[in-house]
Amino acid sequence: QKEVEQNSGPLSVPEGAIASLNCTYSDRGSQSFFWYRQYSGKSPELIMSIYSNGDKEDGRFTAQLNKASQYVSLLIRDSQPSDSATYLCAVRNSGGYQKVTFGTGTKLQVIP
Amino acid sequence: NAGVTQTPKFQVLKTGQSMTLQCAQDMNHNSMYWYRQDPGMGLRLIYYSASEGTTDKGEVPNGYNVSRLNKREFSLRLESAAPSQTSVYFCASSSSGTGAQPQHFGDGTRLSIL
């Protein structure tokens, strides 16, 4: 079982719709969770961090964390073509140093 | 506002050649990391440095060495390049070795080994 799992996609949504990206993780002691956006040929860019159960909203983005079920999700409201990218889920493990494990990413395509 | 700077951006090597990838950050971060990214494999940690003066192996350290030259700089060396090391290499930094701070990435080095 991979430590951090994401559906590779592509996930296609029409412009203006809600895109829902999901991620599951195996380390039950994980403390910190991050979503990165990566455009083709570019470096990962942090878009959301979440540390406690529940929802965290930032503009059109909402991160949701459920530690009991070991999943974290990212919702993108009013999706725009500029949101088309690969979204990486990253999880800080429960080890003593700041090791972060990345999922392989979900490719999102927003269709105009 | 440079953030994390990597050099070079592109490099082509022949099998057996050596080279050093450079990374510098200007955010006063304690921790620095080297990742490689391959299609379908995601980001894999090669080496990390939790603080100045310390380095540790990550998930895929074989064939690589690192040097934490000072707080700002963290270099990755390939002593004898192999085609399997063809990849995109990212350097990242974060503000704490034990905190919950996210990592900030450089623009990457695209390395091809022929």
Side-chain angles (χ1 to χ4, degrees):
Chain A
Q1 181 187 6
K2 291 183 180 178
E3 293 184 52
V4 178
E5 294 208 48
Q6 296 180 256
N7 187 320
S8 62
L11 173 66
S12 295
V13 300
E15 183 175 356
I18 296 175
S20 177
L21 305 164
N22 300 311
C23 171
T24 59
Y25 60 93
S26 60
D27 183 352
R28 192 169 281 279
S30 297
Q31 300 291 324
S32 309
F33 307 86
F34 310 98
W35 283 100
Y36 288 82
R37 177 177 62 201
Q38 187 174 25
Y39 292 113
S40 181
K42 301 295 186 182
S43 61
E45 171 193 13
L46 179 74
I47 54 173
M48 290 287 284
S49 306
I50 187 165
Y51 306 110
S52 54
N53 279 329
D55 294 0
K56 179 181 178 183
E57 186 175 321
D58 184 0
R60 295 187 295 113
F61 299 98
T62 299
Q64 300 175 319
L65 175 61
N66 183 324
K67 290 186 178 180
S69 299
Q70 295 175 244
Y71 83 79
V72 58
S73 62
L74 179 70
L75 301 178
I76 306 174
R77 291 182 299 282
D78 187 23
S79 295
Q80 301 297 310
S82 58
D83 295 326
S84 297
T86 297
Y87 289 80
L88 305 175
C89 173
V91 177
R92 187 211 165 194
N93 303 109
S94 56
Y97 73 97
Q98 195 178 13
K99 177 188 175 186
V100 173
T101 302
F102 287 81
T104 55
T106 298
K107 185 173 184 178
L108 173 67
Q109 295 177 339
V110 180
I111 311 302
Chain B
N1 188 13
V4 180
T5 302
Q6 291 183 236
T7 56
K9 295 190 184 304
F10 303 92
Q11 185 69 49
V12 179
L13 292 178
K14 294 181 179 178
T15 298
Q17 288 185 316
S18 63
M19 81 160 295
T20 299
L21 280 62
Q22 306 287 351
C23 176
Q25 53 91 8
D26 62 3
M27 295 176 284
N28 201 35
H29 285 170
N30 290 320
S31 301
M32 297 185 73
Y33 312 82
W34 276 105
Y35 292 90
R36 60 177 290 174
Q37 188 175 37
D38 303 291
M41 301 293 291
L43 284 160
R44 292 185 291 170
L45 183 65
I46 304 171
Y47 271 93
Y48 70 97
S49 171
S51 62
E52 185 179 356
T54 68
T55 61
D56 284 286
K57 296 178 180 179
E59 182 183 355
V60 288
N62 291 345
Y64 305 96
N65 285 301
V66 291
S67 295
R68 184 73 183 266
L69 304 171
N70 47 56
K71 191 172 185 178
R72 291 186 62 249
E73 298 173 289
F74 189 38
S75 63
L76 178 71
R77 182 162 178 84
L78 286 71
E79 290 292 350
S80 180
S84 61
Q85 294 177 306
T86 293
S87 188
V88 180
Y89 290 85
F90 289 104
C91 177
S93 68
S94 65
S95 62
S96 171
T98 56
Q101 301 305 311
Q103 298 176 6
H104 300 264
F105 287 82
D107 289 337
T109 294
R110 283 142 186 85
L111 182 62
S112 293
I113 316 295
L114 304 178

